[in-house]
């Protein structure tokens, strides 16, 4: 789940309440490139009696695509990880200035400053915040439309950002004591052979699990990744990838993991902070 500490709209307390409504037992906050929400989420989980594990979604790159590597059960004070995250946050800020300039030049007057009315944590600026401004001003009917017209690669507002490699993202998570999970692999629009190349690279660098049921996959994508997880005997992860109500599944409603898969929490046993009340 994403929170106001990155590009979500809910506080950790609100996320916990949503998760509880849907009978979730184990939660993690996986904000983009930032650990600030982990402390508040841990507290909210403890207060609500939910099991908790630390989480993050690290931005990486492969074949010119943005790839997300989730880390679970890591030490959120690990200096090497924090140093890299700070660097990524700074690059995001610089990119935001450039995106703002490009969109102003295209005639979206006020967006360069206005986007910050959408940013909830100044440390973490995302393209999603530009999408939210465009949506609010009526220039797009959905966040997805804002991305496909103005923000994605190949559109006039696109600004590339320097990304770390997938092996480096995996290494950072492992060095911080965590379990690296390849997030929503069905979403990357890679040809089958290229997706397999990504999965092999992820595994060879120490990746441990792939996400199968997620709010970021449609039914077909879930089936595709489910087959890969079965055939290649991956540990499987599940998560809503919840950002806000109009996006993706609500916490706990992304679909359960099929029972024959090895769930990622088997790898997290000594990392889960248990608060479940019986
Ligand atoms: P960034 O990390 O700043 O480049 O922004 C990427 C984030 O924007 C993703 O993690 C998603 O949350 C969101 N996003 C990407 N593509 C779309 C889309 N087509 N529609 C809505 N949200 C998107
Ligand atoms: Mn993601």
């Amino acid at each position: 789940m994403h929170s106001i500490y990155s590009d979500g709209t809910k506080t950790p307390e609100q996320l916990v309440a949503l998760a509880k409504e849907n009978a979730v037992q184990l939660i993690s906050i996986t904000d983009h490139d930032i650990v600030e929400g982990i402390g508040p989420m841990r507290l909210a989980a403890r207060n609500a009696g939910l099991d908790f594990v630390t989480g993050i979604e690290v931005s990486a790159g492969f074949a010119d695509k943005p790839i997300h590597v989730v880390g679970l059960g890591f030490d959120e004070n690990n200096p090497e990880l924090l140093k890299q995250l700070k660097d990524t946050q700074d690059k995001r800020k610089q990119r935001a200035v450039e995106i703002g300039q490009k969109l102003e030049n295209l005639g979206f007057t006020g967006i360069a400053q206005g986007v910050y009315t959408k940013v909830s944590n100044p440390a973490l600026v995302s393209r999603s915040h530009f999408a939210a401004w465009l949506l609010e001003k009526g220039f797009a009917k959905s966040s997805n439309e804002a991305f496909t017209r103005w923000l994605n690669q190949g559109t006039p507002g696109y600004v590339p950002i320097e990304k770390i490699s997938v092996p480096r993202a995996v290494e950072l998570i492992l060095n911080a004591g965590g379990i690296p999970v390849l997030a929503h692999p069905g979403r990357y629009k890679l040809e089958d052979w290229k997706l397999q190349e990504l999965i092999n690279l992820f595994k060879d660098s120490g990746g441990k699990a792939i996400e199968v049921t997620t709010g970021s996959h449609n039914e077909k994508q879930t089936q595709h990744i489910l087959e890969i997880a079965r055939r290649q005997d991956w540990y499987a992860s599940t998560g809503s990838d919840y950002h806000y109500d109009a996006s993706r599944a609500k916490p706990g409603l992304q679909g359960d993991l099929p029972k024959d898969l090895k769930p990622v929490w088997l790898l997290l046993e000594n990392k889960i902070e248990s608060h479940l009340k019986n």
Side-chain angles (χ1 to χ4, degrees), residues 2 32 57 68 70 183-184 187-188 211 216 241 243 248:
H2 296 255
H32 299 284
E57 199 173 35
H68 291 167
V70 162
H184 41 65
R187 192 177 106 181
Y188 297 130
E211 201 176 26
S216 263
D241 202 6
H243 288 67
R248 319 217 166 95

Side-chain angles (χ1 to χ4, degrees), residues 56-100:
I56 190 160
E57 199 173 35
V58 177
S59 300
F62 172 81
D64 225 17
K65 305 251 185 208
I67 305 295
H68 291 167
V69 181
V70 162
L72 296 174
F74 59 93
D75 168 16
E76 76 267 29
N77 298 310
N78 178 271
E80 185 191 13
L81 178 64
L82 292 182
K83 186 162 176 285
Q84 177 59 55
L85 296 179
K86 172 75 170 65
D87 186 63
T88 302
Q89 290 157 20
D90 289 346
K91 289 200 169 78
R92 283 176 165 281
K93 282 181 202 153
Q94 182 53 37
R95 178 186 62 165
V97 172
E98 292 170 33
I99 295 175

Side-chain angles (χ1 to χ4, degrees), residues 84-218:
Q84 177 59 55
L85 296 179
K86 172 75 170 65
D87 186 63
T88 302
Q89 290 157 20
D90 289 346
K91 289 200 169 78
R92 283 176 165 281
K93 282 181 202 153
Q94 182 53 37
R95 178 186 62 165
V97 172
E98 292 170 33
I99 295 175
Q101 280 165 358
K102 275 197 151 186
L103 293 175
E104 292 270 351
N105 291 341
L106 286 165
F108 296 111
T109 308
I111 194 168
Q113 287 306 311
V115 67
Y116 295 100
T117 63
K118 296 292 165 193
V119 170
S120 42
N121 180 1
L124 205 291
V125 194
S126 162
R127 284 183 295 163
S128 313
H129 299 117
F130 286 93
W133 188 93
L134 291 164
L135 189 61
E136 180 189 272
K137 301 292 177 195
F139 295 115
K141 286 194 263 322
S142 66
S143 179
N144 184 50
E145 190 191 344
F147 270 88
T148 52
R149 289 184 70 179
W150 315 110
L151 296 166
N152 277 345
Q153 196 167 18
T155 68
Y158 180 72
V159 176
I161 188 166
E162 193 191 318
K163 296 225 170 69
I164 61 171
S165 67
V166 168
R168 178 64 181 147
V170 167
E171 180 182 44
L172 284 165
I173 293 162
L174 290 174
N175 287 352
I179 300 295
V181 180
L182 186 61
H184 41 65
R187 192 177 106 181
Y188 297 130
K189 299 195 175 76
L190 293 166
E191 292 172 75
D192 282 357
W193 67 274
K194 201 73 189 170
L195 176 63
Q196 194 54 57
E197 201 175 293
L198 168 64
I199 292 172
N200 292 345
L201 177 67
F202 177 71
K203 184 172 205 166
D204 291 346
S205 47
K208 304 284 187 228
I210 62 176
E211 201 176 26
V212 173
T213 53
T214 156
S216 263
H217 279 166
N218 62 31

